[in-house]
Amino acid sequence: MAIKIFIDQGHNPSGFFNSGAEANGLSESEINFQVGIYLQNLLNSDPRFEARVSRPEPDTVLGTNNATSLAARVAMANEWPADYFISIHCNLNPNPAIRGTEVYIYQFYTQAQWLAEQIMEGVNQVAGTINNGIRENPSLYVLRNANMPANLVELAYLSNLSDAEKLRDDQYGFAYGIFLGIMRYFGFA
């Protein structure tokens, strides 16, 4: 029985509601989309996994406003039902010196935390970002409403030049880092 992983590419395409951050000529939703597709392909190339994405096409728009966009993503995962939920995002900060990767979870000392630790290590190792820690944030809608262990991965900062270059040039590396983390979490790597 394949392990079912739902990959949410956070945000809708540019020009729509809930379109995410933009900085240094990059659009968060486009990066999230591509990293999610790479991750889906990596997982689906291994018969032990079955992966689905929230945005199968670059122009897929979910919901009719911010709230229904978030609800649609979680509903897809819950109705499947997925075994794990991974939401992919890019970060932004008014201070351009802030950089690195964060993984948000609903609660510490859960499967979500153990998965987040492996994903963090994989992303840091492959994409070369710094570890800003696993952070508990029960207020995040997708973490609060997913019926399975959920991670929200903030890959890196669009607002930091060195992170932005990684996000622009190595989207496959970010996906591979997450994939490696998932493989290690299950003891497959």
Side-chain angles (χ1 to χ4, degrees):
M1 190 79 165
I3 300 159
K4 300 193 301 191
I5 299 191
F6 188 82
I7 303 158
D8 170 37
Q9 302 121 305
H11 301 289
N12 281 327
S14 298
F16 291 89
F17 55 89
N18 189 27
S19 63
E22 301 201 4
N24 285 313
L26 298 174
S27 160
E28 176 183 8
S29 66
E30 289 170 19
I31 293 165
N32 299 347
F33 170 78
Q34 193 56 58
V35 170
I37 295 297
Y38 284 140
L39 179 57
Q40 177 188 34
N41 291 340
L42 284 162
L43 287 165
N44 284 337
S45 70
D46 185 318
R48 294 172 290 196
F49 295 103
E50 184 185 347
R52 292 184 186 174
V53 290
S54 60
R55 291 175 51 215
E57 302 296 330
D59 57 356
T60 302
V61 175
L62 296 168
T64 52
N65 58 39
N66 282 6
T68 58
S69 183
L70 293 172
R73 297 159 195 276
V74 174
M76 280 189 245
N78 289 343
E79 286 160 18
W80 180 10
D83 298 312
Y84 294 85
F85 181 98
I86 296 174
S87 190
I88 296 171
H89 290 263
C90 300
N91 226 328
L92 191 71
N93 194 293
N95 177 352
I98 303 287
R99 64 190 177 99
T101 304
E102 286 120 45
V103 184
Y104 288 89
I105 57 171
Y106 182 75
Q107 189 177 358
F108 285 122
Y109 309 108
T110 59
Q111 289 304 316
Q113 179 185 344
W114 319 140
L115 176 60
E117 288 170 355
Q118 295 300 325
I119 287 176
M120 175 68 82
E121 192 175 306
V123 170
N124 296 159
Q125 181 186 338
V126 179
T129 57
I130 62 168
N131 180 339
N132 284 345
I134 312 300
R135 302 180 181 189
E136 191 178 76
N137 190 339
S139 71
L140 292 173
Y141 183 93
V142 295
L143 300 181
R144 197 173 67 242
N145 291 284
N147 295 338
M148 66 289 301
N151 282 187
L152 189 148
V153 184
E154 292 280 4
L155 300 170
Y157 281 81
L158 291 166
S159 44
N160 173 270
L161 206 50
S162 113
D163 270 10
E165 286 171 359
K166 291 178 175 75
L167 290 165
R168 182 191 67 210
D169 300 338
D170 195 20
Q171 292 163 16
Y172 183 83
F174 281 98
Y176 193 80
I178 296 170
F179 173 71
L180 195 57
I182 293 168
M183 294 292 279
R184 288 172 176 160
Y185 170 80
F186 287 107
F188 297 159

